[in-house]
Amino acid sequence: MDAQPRNRSVKRDASHKALQRPRGSRQIVIAMTRQEYAQLWRDPVAIRQRLLEQFECCPELFPEGFGQGFRLDGLLRESQKVPGVRLRKIMLHDDSIYELRPSFALAYMVGTVEELEHPLLLLSFGVPCWVVTKLFGHSDMHWQRILERLGLCSLVGT
């Protein structure tokens, strides 16, 4: 009844190479109004010009390697949560892919600034979620999730 111990061999001196790129925010928020979005978003030359202008103004809002070059990589599907809004994809010189999001759409595409301005104002003063639900619809958990998600945003990105 002497069972042999099962031991795995461990290569302690082997180098660990990351199989995936490190995770993190893969969205770049572009400051624009809905009217500017309608004019610029589908025009690759105009959106490239806007990106370069904002990069010159505020390079800390862009990922490392953005200044080395990028290419526009197409449009994503229209958002189900925010109808009429499509994110754009860009690929940097180092083959990392980012999404461009207009600033009037909130993170996770939960709504636009105009839609959520008044409910979030009430929630910031401690109004219970059930009152906001009565006034603006959705559910209590919807408003709770939006509040929780606001804490997840990068301070620089917002």
Side-chain angles (χ1 to χ4, degrees), residues 61-139:
L61 299 179
F62 292 86
E64 288 184 31
F66 186 84
Q68 297 173 356
F70 67 93
R71 69 179 172 95
L72 296 171
D73 205 29
L75 290 165
L76 298 176
R77 290 179 293 162
E78 183 176 326
S79 171
Q80 292 179 352
K81 297 177 188 175
V82 184
V85 176
R86 297 176 73 177
L87 301 181
R88 284 198 81 111
K89 283 177 34 177
I90 63 168
M91 182 179 285
L92 300 186
H93 186 67
D94 63 353
D95 294 336
S96 58
I97 297 175
Y98 288 85
E99 295 174 356
L100 299 177
R101 177 172 53 90
S103 61
F104 65 84
L106 267 71
Y108 303 102
M109 301 298 281
V110 294
T112 62
V113 174
E114 297 88 19
E115 294 170 356
L116 299 176
E117 175 185 7
H118 298 296
L120 288 177
L121 178 66
L122 290 175
L123 290 169
S124 71
F125 284 107
V127 174
C129 290
W130 67 268
V131 174
V132 177
T133 300
K134 285 273 193 194
L135 296 173
F136 297 101
H138 297 287
S139 68

Side-chain angles (χ1 to χ4, degrees), residues 129-152:
C129 290
W130 67 268
V131 174
V132 177
T133 300
K134 285 273 193 194
L135 296 173
F136 297 101
H138 297 287
S139 68
D140 297 352
M141 283 306 298
H142 173 79
W143 299 112
Q144 185 65 34
R145 281 193 293 268
I146 289 176
L147 275 179
E148 292 297 320
R149 288 176 180 160
L150 285 177
L152 298 176

Side-chain angles (χ1 to χ4, degrees), residues 14-73:
S15 64
H16 291 28
K17 292 185 178 180
L19 298 176
Q20 293 180 337
R21 291 191 173 120
R23 291 187 173 204
S25 177
R26 292 288 183 184
Q27 280 193 355
I28 302 170
V29 181
I30 305 301
M32 65 174 48
T33 62
R34 191 177 277 275
Q35 292 80 19
E36 292 173 326
Y37 172 84
Q39 294 171 353
L40 301 176
W41 204 250
R42 293 189 184 267
D43 184 8
V45 176
I47 198 69
R48 175 177 281 280
Q49 182 64 32
R50 172 60 76 90
L51 284 171
L52 292 174
E53 288 171 4
Q54 288 192 2
F55 179 69
E56 288 176 12
C57 175
C58 308
E60 66 274 5
L61 299 179
F62 292 86
E64 288 184 31
F66 186 84
Q68 297 173 356
F70 67 93
R71 69 179 172 95
L72 296 171
D73 205 29

